[in-house]
Amino acid sequence: MGYEEAGREGSVEPSSGVPAAVLENVFDDPGQGEPGQDRIGVHLVWEILLLAGLATLGWLLWRADSDALRGDNLRTLLVGLVGLGLLALAAGLSLRTAAPNLAVGPIAVAAALHYAEQGDQGLAASVGPAVAVAALGGLALALAVVVLHVPGWAASLAGAAGVVVYIERRSAPVLVQGDYDPARTSGYLFAGFAALAVLGGLFGAIRAIRRLVGRYRPVTDPARRRGVVAAVVTALALVCSSVLAALAGVLLAANDPGPVTPDPGLDWTVLAIGVALLGGTSAYGRRGGLFGTLLAVGLVTVFQAYAPARGWTVDHWTVGGVALGVGLLVTRLVETYGRPRPGSPDRPEPVGDGTISTGWTTPSSQPVGNWPPTLPTPAEPEPIDPWRDPRWEDSPRRWDAGER
């Protein structure tokens, strides 16, 4: 199977009429006409609002239950934040490549169940197989997505169904057998997650990296392949997404003193994707913020701790559904205001008819000269030599007839 890259054979972008030399400096994917000089301002404005919301919720939680932000409760809260954050990173990474992985929730629950059953054998012996199986499952999912070139959400939903079958083989909750306590290293875990989230956002803002990661995003017919490079990057992203989801499941299971319930885990998928979208990651792929994932995870985690303090009963479906709805609005804002302004140096005005968008171009108007136009001056006629007139050669010569 070939991985054709449509639109790279012409020297002029078909819908705008902009020369290819200009597109090389202006557009992120010149052959496809994707703008590359995205505006980061919309992400910064939204992240300031997220920061304000996080500070407000933190103050309200302190007022309602100050013990939730102290001692062991704070350490447990931080570990829960890291677990949800790893799930959000898993979902956000797959969203960035335009191949959303809907199996992150079931993978996390399956890994949690495996760790709960095998935790007494040691951390490496219980976590290693779970991560290895998640990596192999992510590789199988990636091959299905990039080789068949099918939507990531559809293939991952089929994979999630297979993981749910594995989960439903257990009829009762499973108590965690290991003695690993992540709360003892909660500060290091939070610092590592924060560094991973922020560095990922900063690297994702670099033009070359954003262009590479988001190359799988369709720009014309979504059924057309986007090239070998796009397939390889998307496959790696799906594998890493599955591994992050497994690590998140192990961390959440170790942080919860109660047993691990064999649920399908789709509520965790909704929550993870909702948090990723809430942080500013576009549902269409490629675009994303800088600190949005970290702030969105903190906001949701603090709200989940604040709700019981106020006597509210909320579950993952409720929080995830609200986050997903708001995140879709954020996607619209990001896609609308994250593009270069029309007419700016980063995005030249199209030469053709922008309304019809047929790719036709109109010739540029020429300066008008003198009007009415003057007729050209005729050339001077050459003088005729009478002795070379053809009449002297063609007329009958009477002296040849004997008349003298």
Side-chain angles (χ1 to χ4, degrees):
M1 293 184 177
Y3 286 89
E4 71 270 11
E5 298 188 58
R8 295 188 177 274
E9 64 276 359
S11 61
V12 177
E13 201 278 320
S15 64
S16 65
V18 181
V22 178
L23 290 174
E24 289 290 342
N25 297 324
V26 173
F27 290 111
D28 187 22
D29 194 349
Q32 302 291 348
E34 281 287 274
Q37 299 293 337
D38 292 342
R39 289 179 284 174
I40 305 297
V42 61
H43 293 283
L44 296 179
V45 171
W46 177 246
E47 288 166 6
I48 291 174
L49 295 177
L50 287 176
L51 180 60
L54 176 59
T56 302
L57 269 179
W59 178 75
L60 291 175
L61 178 59
W62 178 265
R63 289 284 303 272
D65 184 12
S66 60
D67 291 337
L69 300 177
R70 293 175 180 171
D72 293 338
N73 292 330
L74 177 60
R75 287 188 284 271
T76 302
L77 184 68
L78 288 178
V79 175
L81 186 151
V82 174
L84 177 59
L86 291 178
L87 267 182
L89 286 179
L93 179 60
S94 63
L95 283 172
R96 280 278 191 130
T97 57
N101 186 359
L102 301 186
V104 291
I107 290 174
V109 174
L113 287 171
H114 176 80
Y115 169 74
E117 294 173 345
Q118 308 296 329
D120 55 348
Q121 299 181 7
L123 190 62
S126 58
V127 176
V131 172
V133 172
L136 291 177
L139 180 60
L141 172 63
L143 291 177
V145 171
V146 301
V147 174
L148 300 179
H149 194 74
V150 294
W153 65 266
S156 62
L157 191 60
V163 179
V164 170
V165 172
Y166 167 80
I167 294 173
E168 289 182 342
R169 293 175 59 188
R170 293 155 180 82
S171 58
V174 180
L175 287 173
V176 178
Q177 303 299 317
D179 57 354
Y180 169 64
D181 185 9
R184 292 177 296 183
T185 57
S186 59
Y188 297 104
L189 290 174
F190 175 75
F193 160 69
L196 184 62
V198 173
L199 288 177
L202 292 176
F203 278 111
I206 299 175
R207 176 181 178 181
I209 297 178
R210 185 186 63 247
R211 172 181 178 177
L212 181 65
V213 173
R215 198 176 182 87
Y216 199 74
R217 168 173 167 162
V219 293
T220 53
D221 184 358
R224 301 190 68 173
R225 299 183 186 272
R226 294 285 286 139
V228 177
V229 175
V232 171
V233 172
T234 303
L236 291 176
L238 288 173
V239 172
C240 293
S241 174
S242 301
V243 171
L244 288 174
L247 292 175
V250 171
L251 199 60
L252 291 173
N255 189 51
D256 191 354
V260 179
T261 305
D263 292 328
L266 292 177
D267 54 341
W268 284 104
T269 295
V270 173
L271 182 61
I273 293 182
V275 171
L277 295 180
L278 185 64
T281 303
S282 174
Y284 295 102
R286 199 184 81 174
R287 292 185 170 92
L290 304 178
F291 310 96
T293 301
L294 177 62
L295 294 174
V297 170
L299 181 67
V300 171
T301 302
V302 172
F303 176 77
Q304 287 179 326
Y306 174 69
R310 292 297 304 271
W312 301 341
T313 302
V314 294
D315 56 4
H316 293 156
W317 287 109
T318 303
V319 179
V322 173
L324 191 59
V326 178
L328 292 177
L329 296 178
V330 176
T331 290
R332 186 68 272 155
L333 293 176
V334 167
E335 292 293 335
T336 301
Y337 298 104
R339 294 178 178 273
R341 295 184 181 89
S344 66
D346 291 338
R347 190 176 186 181
E349 287 285 0
V351 180
D353 188 348
T355 304
I356 303 178
S357 299
T358 56
W360 296 350
T361 57
T362 57
S364 57
S365 58
Q366 302 294 335
V368 180
N370 296 328
W371 185 262
T374 57
L375 296 176
T377 304
E380 292 288 340
E382 296 182 1
I384 301 177
D385 187 1
W387 298 104
R388 298 184 61 85
D389 193 346
R391 291 178 303 173
W392 294 99
E393 298 178 1
D394 298 338
S395 59
R397 293 176 289 184
R398 294 182 180 182
W399 57 272
D400 289 338
E403 297 182 6
R404 299 188 184 271

Short mmCIF file of all heavy atoms in Angstrom, two decimals, residues 45-69:
data_model
loop_
_atom_site.label_atom_id
_atom_site.label_comp_id
_atom_site.label_asym_id
_atom_site.label_seq_id
_atom_site.Cartn_x
_atom_site.Cartn_y
_atom_site.Cartn_z
N VAL A 45 -4.60 33.44 26.48
CA VAL A 45 -5.78 34.05 27.12
C VAL A 45 -6.61 32.97 27.82
O VAL A 45 -7.05 33.16 28.97
CB VAL A 45 -6.61 34.80 26.07
CG1 VAL A 45 -7.95 35.24 26.65
CG2 VAL A 45 -5.86 36.01 25.55
N TRP A 46 -6.82 31.84 27.16
CA TRP A 46 -7.61 30.78 27.78
C TRP A 46 -6.88 30.20 28.99
O TRP A 46 -7.52 29.87 30.00
CB TRP A 46 -7.89 29.69 26.75
CG TRP A 46 -8.63 28.52 27.33
CD1 TRP A 46 -8.17 27.24 27.48
CD2 TRP A 46 -9.94 28.52 27.87
NE1 TRP A 46 -9.10 26.45 28.06
CE2 TRP A 46 -10.22 27.21 28.33
CE3 TRP A 46 -10.93 29.49 28.02
CZ2 TRP A 46 -11.43 26.85 28.91
CZ3 TRP A 46 -12.13 29.14 28.60
CH2 TRP A 46 -12.38 27.84 29.04
N GLU A 47 -5.58 30.08 28.93
CA GLU A 47 -4.84 29.54 30.07
C GLU A 47 -4.84 30.50 31.26
O GLU A 47 -4.81 30.06 32.41
CB GLU A 47 -3.41 29.21 29.63
CG GLU A 47 -3.35 27.99 28.72
CD GLU A 47 -2.02 27.85 28.01
OE1 GLU A 47 -1.10 28.65 28.33
OE2 GLU A 47 -1.89 26.95 27.17
N ILE A 48 -4.90 31.79 31.00
CA ILE A 48 -5.06 32.74 32.10
C ILE A 48 -6.41 32.54 32.78
O ILE A 48 -6.52 32.59 34.03
CB ILE A 48 -4.90 34.18 31.58
CG1 ILE A 48 -3.45 34.44 31.18
CG2 ILE A 48 -5.32 35.21 32.63
CD1 ILE A 48 -3.22 35.78 30.52
N LEU A 49 -7.44 32.30 31.98
CA LEU A 49 -8.76 32.01 32.57
C LEU A 49 -8.74 30.72 33.36
O LEU A 49 -9.36 30.62 34.44
CB LEU A 49 -9.82 31.96 31.46
CG LEU A 49 -10.07 33.26 30.70
CD1 LEU A 49 -11.10 33.03 29.59
CD2 LEU A 49 -10.56 34.35 31.65
N LEU A 50 -8.06 29.69 32.86
CA LEU A 50 -7.94 28.44 33.61
C LEU A 50 -7.20 28.65 34.92
O LEU A 50 -7.59 28.09 35.97
CB LEU A 50 -7.21 27.39 32.77
CG LEU A 50 -7.97 26.76 31.60
CD1 LEU A 50 -7.06 25.81 30.83
CD2 LEU A 50 -9.22 26.03 32.07
N LEU A 51 -6.15 29.45 34.89
CA LEU A 51 -5.40 29.73 36.11
C LEU A 51 -6.27 30.46 37.13
O LEU A 51 -6.23 30.15 38.34
CB LEU A 51 -4.15 30.55 35.78
CG LEU A 51 -3.25 30.94 36.95
CD1 LEU A 51 -2.74 29.69 37.67
CD2 LEU A 51 -2.09 31.81 36.46
N ALA A 52 -7.05 31.42 36.65
CA ALA A 52 -7.95 32.14 37.55
C ALA A 52 -8.99 31.19 38.15
O ALA A 52 -9.31 31.26 39.35
CB ALA A 52 -8.63 33.29 36.80
N GLY A 53 -9.54 30.29 37.33
CA GLY A 53 -10.50 29.31 37.85
C GLY A 53 -9.88 28.36 38.85
O GLY A 53 -10.50 28.01 39.87
N LEU A 54 -8.63 27.93 38.59
CA LEU A 54 -7.94 27.04 39.52
C LEU A 54 -7.69 27.74 40.85
O LEU A 54 -7.88 27.15 41.94
CB LEU A 54 -6.63 26.56 38.90
CG LEU A 54 -5.73 25.68 39.77
CD1 LEU A 54 -6.46 24.43 40.21
CD2 LEU A 54 -4.45 25.33 39.03
N ALA A 55 -7.24 28.99 40.79
CA ALA A 55 -7.00 29.73 42.04
C ALA A 55 -8.30 29.93 42.83
O ALA A 55 -8.32 29.80 44.06
CB ALA A 55 -6.36 31.08 41.71
N THR A 56 -9.38 30.21 42.12
CA THR A 56 -10.67 30.40 42.79
C THR A 56 -11.15 29.12 43.45
O THR A 56 -11.59 29.11 44.62
CB THR A 56 -11.72 30.91 41.79
OG1 THR A 56 -11.26 32.13 41.20
CG2 THR A 56 -13.05 31.15 42.47
N LEU A 57 -11.07 28.00 42.72
CA LEU A 57 -11.50 26.73 43.30
C LEU A 57 -10.61 26.30 44.46
O LEU A 57 -11.08 25.74 45.46
CB LEU A 57 -11.50 25.64 42.22
CG LEU A 57 -12.81 25.43 41.46
CD1 LEU A 57 -12.64 24.34 40.42
CD2 LEU A 57 -13.95 25.10 42.40
N GLY A 58 -9.31 26.56 44.35
CA GLY A 58 -8.42 26.24 45.46
C GLY A 58 -8.76 27.03 46.71
O GLY A 58 -8.74 26.48 47.83
N TRP A 59 -9.09 28.30 46.54
CA TRP A 59 -9.48 29.12 47.69
C TRP A 59 -10.80 28.63 48.29
O TRP A 59 -10.95 28.57 49.52
CB TRP A 59 -9.59 30.56 47.25
CG TRP A 59 -10.04 31.50 48.34
CD1 TRP A 59 -9.30 31.95 49.39
CD2 TRP A 59 -11.34 32.07 48.49
NE1 TRP A 59 -10.05 32.78 50.18
CE2 TRP A 59 -11.31 32.88 49.66
CE3 TRP A 59 -12.53 31.99 47.75
CZ2 TRP A 59 -12.41 33.59 50.10
CZ3 TRP A 59 -13.63 32.69 48.19
CH2 TRP A 59 -13.58 33.48 49.34
N LEU A 60 -11.76 28.25 47.41
CA LEU A 60 -13.03 27.73 47.91
C LEU A 60 -12.84 26.41 48.65
O LEU A 60 -13.49 26.16 49.67
CB LEU A 60 -14.01 27.55 46.75
CG LEU A 60 -14.52 28.83 46.08
CD1 LEU A 60 -15.38 28.49 44.87
CD2 LEU A 60 -15.29 29.70 47.07
N LEU A 61 -11.94 25.54 48.14
CA LEU A 61 -11.67 24.28 48.83
C LEU A 61 -11.02 24.53 50.19
O LEU A 61 -11.33 23.85 51.18
CB LEU A 61 -10.78 23.39 47.96
CG LEU A 61 -10.35 22.05 48.56
CD1 LEU A 61 -11.56 21.19 48.89
CD2 LEU A 61 -9.41 21.32 47.60
N TRP A 62 -10.12 25.50 50.24
CA TRP A 62 -9.50 25.85 51.52
C TRP A 62 -10.53 26.35 52.52
O TRP A 62 -10.45 26.05 53.70
CB TRP A 62 -8.42 26.89 51.29
CG TRP A 62 -7.74 27.36 52.54
CD1 TRP A 62 -8.03 28.44 53.29
CD2 TRP A 62 -6.63 26.72 53.17
NE1 TRP A 62 -7.19 28.54 54.36
CE2 TRP A 62 -6.31 27.49 54.32
CE3 TRP A 62 -5.87 25.57 52.89
CZ2 TRP A 62 -5.27 27.15 55.17
CZ3 TRP A 62 -4.83 25.25 53.74
CH2 TRP A 62 -4.55 26.03 54.87
N ARG A 63 -11.50 27.13 52.02
CA ARG A 63 -12.54 27.64 52.91
C ARG A 63 -13.47 26.51 53.37
O ARG A 63 -13.91 26.50 54.54
CB ARG A 63 -13.36 28.71 52.16
CG ARG A 63 -12.63 30.01 51.92
CD ARG A 63 -12.56 30.85 53.18
NE ARG A 63 -13.90 31.10 53.71
CZ ARG A 63 -14.66 32.13 53.36
NH1 ARG A 63 -14.23 32.99 52.44
NH2 ARG A 63 -15.85 32.30 53.92
N ALA A 64 -13.78 25.58 52.46
CA ALA A 64 -14.72 24.51 52.80
C ALA A 64 -14.07 23.40 53.63
O ALA A 64 -14.69 22.86 54.57
CB ALA A 64 -15.33 23.92 51.53
N ASP A 65 -12.84 23.02 53.30
CA ASP A 65 -12.17 21.92 54.00
C ASP A 65 -10.67 22.13 53.86
O ASP A 65 -10.05 21.66 52.90
CB ASP A 65 -12.59 20.58 53.42
CG ASP A 65 -11.99 19.40 54.18
OD1 ASP A 65 -11.44 19.62 55.28
OD2 ASP A 65 -12.08 18.27 53.67
N SER A 66 -10.10 22.84 54.78
CA SER A 66 -8.66 23.15 54.70
C SER A 66 -7.80 21.90 54.90
O SER A 66 -6.65 21.86 54.43
CB SER A 66 -8.29 24.20 55.74
OG SER A 66 -8.59 23.73 57.06
N ASP A 67 -8.33 20.88 55.55
CA ASP A 67 -7.56 19.65 55.76
C ASP A 67 -7.29 18.92 54.45
O ASP A 67 -6.35 18.10 54.38
CB ASP A 67 -8.31 18.71 56.71
CG ASP A 67 -8.36 19.26 58.14
OD1 ASP A 67 -7.50 20.10 58.48
OD2 ASP A 67 -9.28 18.87 58.88
N ALA A 68 -8.08 19.17 53.41
CA ALA A 68 -7.86 18.52 52.12
C ALA A 68 -6.57 18.98 51.46
O ALA A 68 -6.06 18.28 50.56
CB ALA A 68 -9.04 18.78 51.18
N LEU A 69 -6.03 20.11 51.90
CA LEU A 69 -4.80 20.65 51.33
C LEU A 69 -3.65 20.57 52.31
O LEU A 69 -2.69 21.36 52.22
CB LEU A 69 -5.02 22.10 50.88
CG LEU A 69 -6.10 22.32 49.82
CD1 LEU A 69 -6.28 23.79 49.52
CD2 LEU A 69 -5.76 21.56 48.54
#
